[in-house]
Amino acid sequence: MMQTTFRTENLSVFYGKYEAVKGIDMNFPEQSVTALIGPSGCGKSTFLRSLNRMNDDIAGSRITGKIWIDGEDINAPGTDVIELRQKIGMVWQRPNPFYKSIYDNIAFGPKYHGIKDRRKLDEIVESSLRKAALWDEVKDRLKQSALSLSGGQQQRLCIARALSVNPRILLLDEPASALDPVSTAKVEELIIDLKKELSIVIVTHNMQQAARISDYTAYFYLGSVVEHDKTDIIFTNPTNTNTQEYISGRFG
Amino acid sequence: MKPRTADKIATGVIVTFSSIIVAVLLGLLGFILFRGLSHISWSFLTSVPQTIRAGGGIGPQLFNSLFLLVLTLIITIPLGLGAGIYMAEYAKPGKITSSIRLVVEVLSSFPSIVVGLFGLLLIVNTFGFGFSLFSGALVLTIFNLPLMVRVTEQAFRGVPKEQKEAGLALGLSKWKIIVSILLPVAIPNLVTGTVLAAGRVFGEAAALLFTAGMSTPRLDFTNWNPLSPTSPINPFRPAETLAVHIWKINSEGLAPDAMAIAAGASAVLVILVLIFNLTARWLGRVLYQAFTASKVIK
């Protein structure tokens, strides 16, 4: 049996009075990819963002229920959100590298969190970029602006940046939907590779992508999880007709 | 009318309007430089003004204008940055925030003569700072704050919000994100704001009549004790700036060459603004490139 480190318990997210996410219980097993699918506005991105408390800054948002990481409730009053977010990396739909050099994009987080030794930083930069399969493409231009990279490279840089602080969990919000097919394939390969080391939660609108890379799939509809199971079961033999219609492209 | 014709007419109108503006500006600039340049010489720039005789210079006034600029920016930039960052990053939308914004906007439309009189009553008399560079700098800060706050707020809001999210997700504190991620990107716009604020410092006369004063003590440029009344860098001494000087000799100058001095001083003022503008933009570009590892702005 796998050791569970990350789960939600009756998690609801409200924007004002509106309940965007309705009482979700979900386990994210280690070393696996969980895909969140569902039509736009179904609450999957909101759910994802609540997992590293990115909704904190949104006026009027409120959370009930619990999110447990290693037995700790991340919304408990004493939680250090800065420490928490080091454990949970996040990558968005649109690549958002800092307006800095490629090197500084990666080194920035570790430096801020206390690593001052130049050689150690160099190592982190190299290993993060290698993990993100970008090292060979950028090793001769680390001092150049990250914005000089192509969209696909920028996205892999963002993944490398997320990895630079050694997270245990990686949250991906449609990480490949703004990329061309070649870059998408690279990012997908990368995700499969990375799950050896961390738990990955990915929101995607691309059914084939969910089927290709995830171990578990959760189907969201109107803020609730309709079905959550192993990916091959969801895609070959879903119990819910709504799920089946969505994944076969009949609506959504 | 065909869309194509309409498009041509619109283009024509817009081009005409911009040409008029450019022509007016160039004409004015040409006029000022043409009248004044011939009068500019090293001794004109360095010597003291003469009341009745010809051959006076604008040395102290030139220095005063520059020194007042430095003083004003020292006060304006931190206040403006602080308030602007607050408005952009901390203030929650609501009644208080919008009333702050309203106050800031109203402040920017105050007539300068009124602000000058206010400075005379409050800063010069009640607070007892007298006619001084410091009083002048405070009054100019009142003018410049609305601009600086607004420019700062917009500069920070202009940074894509994904930048902030990326910082948050890396576990950076809000302050660190503001200083290290948002600020470098905002620099070009902040420079623009500073340049506009500086233009106001160089050009303002009405408000300074009542605050920085219309006279300059005999300055001893070898005396660098900031507390000595004859020291040029004493911020608590009265100081007539270049703009005030131009106004004064134009309206009550007794020297036979008063008109030529006014023309020369005007040209110097214009050149000063130009130099400051270019320098500030260059500096902004250098900073931006250093912080963002980029070659081009935007």
Side-chain angles (χ1 to χ4, degrees):
Chain A
M1 199 182 132
M2 262 189 231
Q3 183 201 358
T4 305
T5 58
F6 188 24
R7 67 190 173 89
T8 69
E9 183 185 327
N10 196 21
L11 180 73
S12 296
V13 183
F14 296 85
Y15 293 132
K17 288 219 168 81
Y18 174 68
E19 191 175 9
V21 170
K22 299 171 182 164
I24 291 179
D25 293 296
M26 200 182 284
N27 264 320
F28 302 101
E30 263 189 325
Q31 300 187 322
S32 65
V33 177
T34 304
L36 311 181
I37 61 171
S40 298
C42 67
K44 55 192 189 309
S45 283
T46 301
F47 176 73
L48 188 79
R49 287 171 58 89
S50 66
L51 296 179
N52 66 341
R53 293 184 51 178
M54 290 304 284
N55 288 333
D56 283 14
D57 275 356
I58 296 175
S61 79
R62 192 164 54 84
I63 278 179
T64 63
K66 303 262 195 276
I67 301 167
W68 299 100
I69 295 180
D70 296 337
E72 278 177 52
D73 173 15
I74 68 165
N75 288 302
T79 306
D80 183 349
V81 68
I82 288 175
E83 207 174 289
L84 166 78
R85 285 178 180 145
Q86 283 180 67
K87 284 192 214 161
I88 313 176
M90 187 158 187
V91 175
W92 286 262
Q93 177 176 13
R94 289 214 347 233
N96 57 354
F98 296 137
Y99 290 52
K100 297 179 187 300
S101 69
I102 294 168
Y103 183 95
D104 286 340
N105 259 277
I106 311 290
F108 196 76
K111 219 190 269 176
Y112 175 69
H113 294 301
I115 297 173
K116 304 281 179 224
D117 180 25
R118 185 80 196 182
R119 227 173 320 144
K120 197 132 188 226
L121 284 172
D122 288 348
E123 272 169 34
I124 292 175
V125 169
E126 179 171 346
S127 69
S128 303
L129 286 169
R130 276 191 194 284
K131 279 185 211 158
L134 190 60
W135 174 253
D136 291 328
E137 289 162 63
V138 301
K139 64 180 179 212
D140 300 321
R141 49 194 281 209
L142 292 172
K143 293 287 163 215
Q144 281 180 28
S145 167
L147 301 180
S148 66
L149 297 172
S150 74
Q153 289 173 324
Q154 285 187 14
Q155 192 64 309
R156 277 178 285 146
L157 180 72
C158 291
I159 295 174
R161 181 178 62 190
L163 297 175
S164 68
V165 290
N166 259 325
R168 309 263 315 277
I169 297 156
L170 196 56
L171 308 176
L172 306 169
D173 193 354
E174 298 184 50
S177 62
L179 304 181
D180 67 90
V182 177
S183 303
T184 301
K186 278 188 183 162
V187 169
E188 286 184 9
E189 256 172 61
L190 186 59
I191 292 170
I192 294 170
D193 222 37
L194 287 173
K195 79 170 180 186
K196 289 177 207 147
E197 295 176 33
L198 14 85
S199 338
I200 294 174
V201 186
I202 175 171
V203 165
T204 179
H205 278 132
N206 182 331
M207 294 305 111
Q208 287 82 10
Q209 184 172 69
R212 277 194 299 264
I213 63 174
S214 70
D215 303 293
Y216 299 89
T217 298
Y219 172 61
F220 278 64
Y221 187 65
L222 298 177
S224 302
V225 171
V226 177
E227 203 167 347
H228 175 205
D229 211 326
K230 288 206 158 111
T231 297
D232 42 9
I233 295 177
I234 294 270
F235 278 89
T236 54
N237 194 15
T239 46
N240 191 297
T241 48
N242 191 315
T243 313
Q244 203 214 327
E245 281 177 9
Y246 180 73
I247 55 176
S248 58
R250 243 171 284 165
F251 95 103
Chain B
M1 202 190 304
K2 273 197 197 161
R4 231 168 73 102
T5 328
D7 198 40
K8 269 189 183 152
I9 293 176
T11 312
V13 170
I14 290 167
V15 169
T16 315
F17 284 174
S18 2
S19 313
I20 291 174
I21 293 173
V22 172
V24 168
L25 275 177
L26 284 181
L28 208 59
L29 205 62
F31 178 71
I32 292 173
L33 291 179
F34 173 75
R35 271 186 17 138
L37 275 183
S38 58
H39 202 76
I40 298 177
S41 64
W42 183 245
S43 81
F44 178 68
L45 292 178
T46 52
S47 61
V48 295
Q50 300 291 342
T51 321
I52 333 179
R53 280 182 296 134
I58 53 163
Q61 285 74 20
L62 185 57
F63 179 83
N64 288 342
S65 277
L66 290 171
F67 190 35
L68 187 63
L69 173 72
V70 173
L71 281 179
T72 308
L73 291 186
I74 287 176
I75 305 174
T76 306
I77 290 180
L79 282 178
L81 271 182
I85 290 174
Y86 173 79
M87 297 292 281
E89 301 298 328
Y90 290 89
K92 299 225 164 27
K95 281 212 176 87
I96 299 176
T97 311
S98 35
S99 54
I100 294 179
R101 199 166 282 130
L102 184 72
V103 168
V104 166
E105 270 161 27
V106 169
L107 202 59
S108 71
S109 59
F110 269 18
S112 58
I113 195 91
V114 174
V115 177
L117 286 168
F118 170 78
L120 174 68
L121 291 175
L122 192 74
I123 303 168
V124 175
N125 292 336
T126 309
F127 292 164
F129 286 112
F131 289 116
S132 65
L133 283 158
F134 183 72
S135 304
L138 283 185
V139 164
L140 289 173
T141 302
I142 296 178
F143 284 125
N144 283 330
L145 264 188
L147 181 83
M148 218 44 213
V149 171
R150 173 174 271 245
V151 167
T152 307
E153 184 182 351
Q154 280 171 357
F156 274 83
R157 282 193 194 282
V159 182
K161 86 173 199 316
E162 290 85 2
Q163 291 287 312
K164 199 164 46 169
E165 291 198 318
L168 285 175
L170 265 185
L172 307 181
S173 67
K174 190 167 186 171
W175 177 239
K176 181 72 180 172
I177 291 173
I178 289 172
V179 173
S180 302
I181 295 180
L182 305 184
L183 183 64
V185 185
I187 278 179
N189 288 327
L190 295 179
V191 169
T192 308
T194 311
V195 166
L196 291 173
R200 191 98 197 228
V201 176
F202 283 129
E204 183 57 48
L208 291 177
L209 297 177
F210 304 121
T211 50
M214 289 168 61
S215 62
T216 306
R218 285 231 157 253
L219 297 180
D220 174 7
F221 277 87
T222 57
N223 179 356
W224 293 96
N225 172 8
L227 297 175
S228 156
T230 59
S231 164
I233 59 164
N234 179 356
F236 298 106
R237 64 173 174 84
E240 182 192 24
T241 66
L242 215 47
V244 172
H245 187 63
I246 292 169
W247 173 81
K248 196 170 84 177
I249 47 180
N250 254 322
S251 55
E252 53 190 46
L254 296 175
D257 59 349
M259 281 305 128
I261 290 175
S266 305
V268 170
L269 197 56
V270 168
I271 294 169
L272 212 57
V273 171
L274 212 61
I275 292 175
F276 179 80
N277 211 311
L278 295 175
T279 320
R281 281 175 203 284
W282 170 80
L283 188 69
R285 200 158 52 233
V286 169
L287 285 177
Y288 183 83
Q289 284 172 5
F291 283 136
T292 63
S294 69
K295 291 256 149 38
V296 277
I297 284 189
K298 293 247 161 114

